[in-house]
Amino acid sequence: MPEKWLIRLVGEGRATWIERFLTEKRMLVGLILGQFVSLLITSTGFSSSDLARRGINIPTSQSFLNYVLLAIVYGIIVIKRKRWLKMPWYYYLLLGIIDVEANYLVVKAYQYTSLTSVMLLDCWSIPCVILLTWILLKTKYGLKKFIGVGVCVAGLVLDVFSDVHATDRAKGPNPLKGDLLVFAGATLYACSNVGEEYLVKKGDRTEVMAMLGIFGAIISAIQISIVERTALQSTQWTAGAAFPFFGFSLAMFVFYSTVPYILKICGATVLNLSLLTSDMWAVLIRIFAYHEKVDWIYFIAFAGVAIGLGIYSWASDKEEKRAQVAVDNDEKTATDEEAQVESSDQAFQRDGDKLKPGDVKHFPSTSVVSK
């Protein structure tokens, strides 16, 4: 139902049209932002690969600076507000633990298994997100949404096959361990995204970012002191190593700052589907920046993911419109009933005002019998 002030300003018919237009525009903005964060993830992948080639394997340390930036930037805003947190602090603590470990496990997996396996198994986050949002957030999924998800995943599988077809890749020193790390990391990513969606919709975006930064930085610092202290001390810092390290942190900061908008507009499922295109953007960068050749299957895969996203978004828009129509009908029925009650009360008041002292008013519905 459109806002009452909008109805008074332009009328109910135009107000409904404007509301639906803004809904479609928000979905389009959500898709554009989804591709923006997908490009950010692509840039973090190139940064991590560059660091790995230089022998720098400190995944928790890479994420630590991102959490510090979140804590400083958004923490200052929260402090200036001078008000209590909208959500309990232990919710943010749990979110911080899950998010830090998700980042650590997936980045760690690259040391044991192939890039192809990580790309394929990372899709596990999508069914996890669908299951969690269905159970915890009561999100409804129709057949068209499942079709959209299936087309997206099929497109990504084609992308993986095109990568394998183009160049043979090593399986890594311990594929089973790497695959298990990806499964665990993807599951935690799903939990993190769904938890963040819940906190953003129930609480405040700035508060979520500030508290995630604070607890993420604390947890990362503890983990670095236990797991990565030796590797961090032995790292030889040069200009070539510092650039991808700080570039990774900056890209992650922008990514984390943008994700809450997508979660509020479209939800965690659209976010994870949008991130599927990150590997495809990486291929495009290799084509135009490094002049590498790719298999023709890649272009079919890219189109498949784009079509799947379109189907899912179109289905979401249709379901939202049907839900809005149902709400509008319910509110209209309630308004009509209130108007009838008010009209009856006014008629009763007028009849009562016409009575003179000593008169008796008989109502057909009365159950009182005078003797």
Side-chain angles (χ1 to χ4, degrees):
M1 185 72 179
E3 298 291 339
K4 293 183 179 180
W5 65 267
L6 186 59
I7 295 176
R8 289 195 297 266
L9 183 64
V10 298
E12 184 174 357
R14 291 183 178 179
T16 302
W17 181 86
I18 291 174
E19 190 76 12
R20 291 179 179 177
F21 172 78
L22 293 177
T23 299
E24 295 176 356
K25 188 175 180 180
R26 284 195 296 269
M27 182 61 68
L28 178 61
V29 170
L31 291 176
I32 294 174
L33 289 176
Q35 293 312 299
F36 174 66
V37 297
S38 181
L39 284 170
L40 291 174
I41 289 296
T42 303
S43 67
T44 61
F46 277 99
S47 299
S48 297
S49 299
D50 191 16
L51 291 172
R53 284 195 298 267
R54 297 174 184 273
I56 302 175
N57 296 310
I58 46 175
T60 309
S61 301
Q62 291 176 220
S63 302
F64 173 71
L65 185 56
N66 164 53
Y67 292 121
V68 171
L69 289 173
L70 290 174
I72 293 174
V73 174
Y74 293 101
I76 292 174
I77 299 175
V78 171
I79 292 173
K80 286 185 177 180
R81 289 178 175 177
K82 296 180 180 180
R83 64 187 185 192
W84 294 103
L85 297 176
K86 291 185 177 181
M87 304 297 291
W89 64 269
Y90 47 84
Y91 282 13
Y92 298 117
L93 173 61
L94 181 60
L95 179 65
I97 295 173
I98 294 173
D99 197 74
V100 169
E101 299 311 319
N103 287 325
Y104 175 80
L105 289 174
V106 172
V107 176
K108 191 73 174 177
Y110 284 96
Q111 300 178 20
Y112 301 102
T113 189
S114 65
L115 174 64
T116 301
S117 296
V118 174
M119 290 167 57
L120 184 60
L121 297 176
D122 196 35
C123 296
W124 173 247
S125 64
I126 295 175
C128 290
V129 165
I130 293 176
L131 179 63
L132 290 173
T133 52
W134 178 61
I135 294 175
L136 301 178
L137 304 183
K138 308 302 180 183
T139 303
K140 296 182 180 180
Y141 294 96
L143 178 61
K144 292 178 181 178
K145 285 188 175 183
F146 283 111
I147 292 175
V149 172
V151 173
C152 279
V153 174
L156 183 62
V157 172
L158 282 176
D159 178 51
V160 173
F161 285 152
S162 72
D163 195 24
V164 174
H165 185 263
T167 56
D168 295 330
R169 298 188 180 274
K171 293 183 178 180
N174 194 337
L176 179 59
K177 183 177 181 180
D179 293 347
L180 292 176
L181 287 174
V182 177
F183 270 119
T187 304
L188 291 181
Y189 269 139
C191 296
S192 175
N193 290 336
V194 174
E196 190 173 341
E197 178 182 352
Y198 173 80
L199 293 173
V200 166
K201 290 183 176 180
K202 295 291 184 179
D204 178 72
R205 184 189 73 89
T206 303
E207 178 181 301
V208 172
M209 289 295 95
M211 299 306 294
L212 177 60
I214 292 172
F215 286 115
I218 295 173
I219 297 166
S220 297
I222 296 173
Q223 185 161 310
I224 290 170
S225 64
I226 298 173
V227 179
E228 297 181 2
R229 181 175 57 185
T230 303
L232 194 60
Q233 291 174 349
S234 61
T235 300
Q236 299 294 327
W237 292 103
T238 61
F243 181 77
F245 181 84
F246 291 105
F248 176 91
S249 300
L250 182 60
M252 288 296 287
F253 172 73
V254 179
F255 171 82
Y256 274 71
S257 300
T258 308
V259 161
Y261 289 106
I262 303 175
L263 293 176
K264 196 162 189 176
I265 295 173
C266 304
T269 305
V270 171
L271 171 64
N272 282 268
L273 291 175
S274 297
L275 293 180
L276 290 180
T277 59
S278 61
D279 301 304
M280 300 184 176
W281 289 122
V283 175
L284 284 178
I285 292 174
R286 292 202 301 266
I287 293 174
F288 293 104
Y290 299 100
H291 304 289
E292 296 180 4
K293 293 183 179 180
V294 296
D295 197 81
W296 60 271
I297 301 177
Y298 160 77
F299 298 100
I300 300 177
F302 191 91
V305 173
I307 292 172
L309 273 172
I311 293 173
Y312 187 94
S313 302
W314 176 74
S316 298
D317 184 51
K318 290 292 184 182
E319 290 179 6
E320 187 170 349
K321 286 182 178 180
R322 286 197 295 268
Q324 187 65 44
V325 170
V327 172
D328 291 345
N329 291 336
D330 292 341
E331 291 184 358
K332 186 176 181 181
T333 302
T335 303
D336 292 341
E337 291 177 354
E338 291 177 359
Q340 291 177 0
V341 172
E342 184 178 354
S343 177
S344 300
D345 292 341
Q346 291 176 354
F348 178 80
Q349 184 66 32
R350 286 195 302 269
D351 292 341
D353 292 341
K354 293 178 182 178
L355 291 177
K356 297 179 181 179
D359 292 343
V360 178
K361 180 66 176 180
H362 298 281
F363 296 97
S365 59
T366 182
S367 60
V368 179
V369 180
S370 302
K371 292 184 179 180

